[in-house]
């Protein structure tokens, strides 16, 4: 309890002191977003005095001062992907991840939107949907996370609460290798927005006013796609070894075929497979199949290579840009 020496009966001094105490209480936030909206801050001051100077002291309480904390309207939007999201020309359902945070001191709902043609990029993605992270795992789960419909499921967040938002887009078929495209996610307080300090009487949580904070009660951030458009070069060569150590193509000569796949551009190519038929007039040399010099079995097993009876087949999986793989096998001229 605060005490004020009150010896000359100045009511104005007492009232000023009480007001100062109340204002000091308001200026001390209790949480990251400030004292919760609607909180009543109350204070009673006490003054002591001596009715007869030098005699016994007595005290008197002031009136109670009650102030209701207004709701601060603030929001933050941040792109949450660690780097440009790899995308492919013509692809649909490409995902950008954002974090929406209620930076105010009361529960608030937010209206979401996107801008995909704001300039400053190489191409404009086409936004197909905004999706709310329903299960809170920060990963997009099709069919589980809720598709956002403005005015229907506007996210409501408690003070300091965050929510992951996904923006799904299609990439133009004409987007070129290494080009970048951006999408902006926007969020606006449904109670109101505007210049900091703008007040909306009686609309704050708990019955107080709602006051626009430093962000203007609207936020936005840009997320980026980067196109990876890889292509593959494929060459085949042959070398001969005849029974006499030469390079003639006589019966009994062995042909070694080399099949080389090289990926260029950026990004990667998936499920790459090399196949070749055994030429008519030749017979496959059992056990000759190899990948980059390492022997592969002729059986269809986990090494990805196989002799099918009429040809060879080798699965290379996903190849990134710059990768080069060579398959070799031998046949004998009948």
């Amino acid at each position: 309890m605060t005490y004020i020496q009150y010896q000359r009966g100045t009511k104005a001094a007492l009232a000023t002191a009480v007001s100062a105490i109340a204002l000091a209480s308001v200026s001390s936030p209790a949480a990251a977003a400030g004292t919760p909206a609607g909180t009543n801050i109350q204070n009673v001051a006490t003054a002591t005095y001596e009715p007869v100077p030098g005699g016994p002291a007595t005290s008197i309480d002031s009136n109670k001062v009650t102030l209701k904390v207004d709701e601060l309207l603030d929001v933050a939007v941040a792109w949450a992907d660690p780097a440009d999201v790899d995308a492919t020309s013509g692809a649909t359902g490409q995902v950008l991840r954002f974090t929406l945070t209620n930076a105010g001191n009361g529960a608030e709902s937010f209206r979401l939107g996107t801008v995909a043609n704001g300039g400053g990029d190489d191409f404009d993605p086409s936004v197909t949907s905004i999706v709310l992270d329903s299960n809170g795992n920060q990963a997009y789960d099709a069919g589980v996370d809720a598709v956002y419909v403005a005015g229907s499921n506007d996210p409501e967040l408690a003070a300091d609460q965050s929510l992951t938002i996904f923006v799904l887009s299609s990439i133009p078929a004409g987007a070129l290798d290494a080009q970048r495209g951006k999408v902006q996610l926007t969020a606006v307080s449904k109670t109101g927005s505007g210049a900091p300090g703008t007040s909306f009487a009686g609309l704050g949580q708990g019955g107080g006013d709602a006051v626009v904070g430093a962000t203007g009660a609207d936020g936005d951030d840009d997320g980026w796609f980067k196109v990876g458009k890889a292509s593959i070069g494929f060459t085949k060569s042959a070398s001969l070894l005849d029974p006499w150590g030469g390079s003639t193509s006589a019966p009994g000569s062995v042909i070694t075929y080399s099949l080389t796949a090289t990926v260029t551009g950026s990004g990667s190519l998936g499920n790459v497979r090399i196949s070749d038929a055994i030429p008519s007039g030749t017979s496959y040399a059992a056990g000759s199949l190899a990948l980059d010099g390492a022997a592969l079995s002729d059986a269809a097993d986990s090494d990805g290579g196989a002799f099918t009876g009429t040809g060879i087949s080798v699965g290379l999986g996903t190849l990134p840009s710059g990768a080069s793989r060579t398959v070799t096998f031998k046949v004998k001229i009948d």
Side-chain angles (χ1 to χ4, degrees):
M1 182 66 70
T2 301
Y3 292 89
I4 302 171
Q5 193 66 31
Y6 188 79
Q7 294 182 335
R8 291 185 170 83
T10 57
K11 293 184 179 180
L14 178 59
T16 300
V18 171
S19 298
I21 293 168
L23 289 174
S25 300
V26 172
S27 66
S28 302
T35 304
T39 299
N40 285 326
I41 295 178
Q42 300 176 332
N43 194 281
V44 175
T46 300
T48 62
Y49 62 99
E50 298 173 356
V52 177
T58 188
S59 64
I60 183 173
D61 289 341
S62 72
N63 58 294
K64 181 186 294 185
V65 174
T66 301
L67 298 174
K68 186 181 293 291
V69 176
D70 291 334
E71 180 182 352
L72 188 67
L73 303 175
D74 262 334
V75 60
V77 176
W79 180 34
D81 295 303
D84 290 358
V85 173
D86 292 336
T88 304
S89 297
T92 60
Q94 306 295 284
V95 181
L96 291 173
R97 186 163 53 99
F98 295 84
T99 300
L100 170 69
T101 301
N102 178 5
N105 66 337
E108 186 63 27
S109 295
F110 299 94
R111 184 69 58 89
L112 306 179
T114 59
V115 178
N117 59 351
D121 54 6
D122 300 311
F123 65 88
D124 293 334
S126 178
V127 175
T128 54
S129 60
I130 301 173
V131 180
L132 310 180
D133 184 18
S134 300
N135 57 13
N137 67 353
Q138 300 180 19
Y140 173 61
D141 299 307
V144 176
D145 294 326
V147 176
Y148 171 70
V149 179
S152 175
N153 60 343
D154 298 319
E156 180 176 342
L157 304 179
D160 295 323
Q161 185 181 2
S162 296
L163 175 68
T164 299
I165 308 293
F166 306 105
V167 177
L168 275 61
S169 302
S170 297
I171 307 300
L176 302 177
D177 181 43
Q179 285 190 330
R180 302 174 75 223
K182 72 176 179 180
V183 176
Q184 184 181 88
L185 177 68
T186 64
V188 182
S189 166
K190 292 185 68 175
T191 297
S193 60
T198 301
S199 180
F200 300 94
L203 297 185
Q205 178 179 312
D209 296 342
V211 181
V212 175
T215 65
D218 61 58
D220 60 72
D221 201 11
D222 298 331
W224 290 84
F225 293 111
K226 185 176 182 180
V227 169
K229 195 168 185 178
S231 59
I232 191 168
F234 190 43
T235 60
K236 180 177 181 178
S237 62
S239 62
L240 281 161
L241 179 62
D242 62 30
W244 309 280
S247 57
T248 64
S249 54
S253 295
V254 174
I255 306 172
T256 300
Y257 288 111
S258 296
L259 313 172
T260 300
T262 302
V263 180
T264 58
S266 64
S268 59
L269 297 176
N271 198 27
V272 179
R273 178 171 292 276
I274 291 177
S275 302
D276 198 4
I278 304 304
S280 177
T282 69
S283 299
Y284 174 68
S288 65
L289 186 61
L291 174 62
D292 295 333
L296 301 176
S297 66
D298 290 337
D301 52 26
S302 60
D303 67 13
F307 171 58
T308 66
T310 59
I312 60 93
S313 178
V314 179
L316 304 180
T318 298
L319 296 183
S321 176
S324 183
R325 309 298 300 273
T326 299
V327 172
T328 56
F329 68 97
K330 297 178 181 180
V331 299
K332 180 181 288 188
I333 299 176
D334 297 335

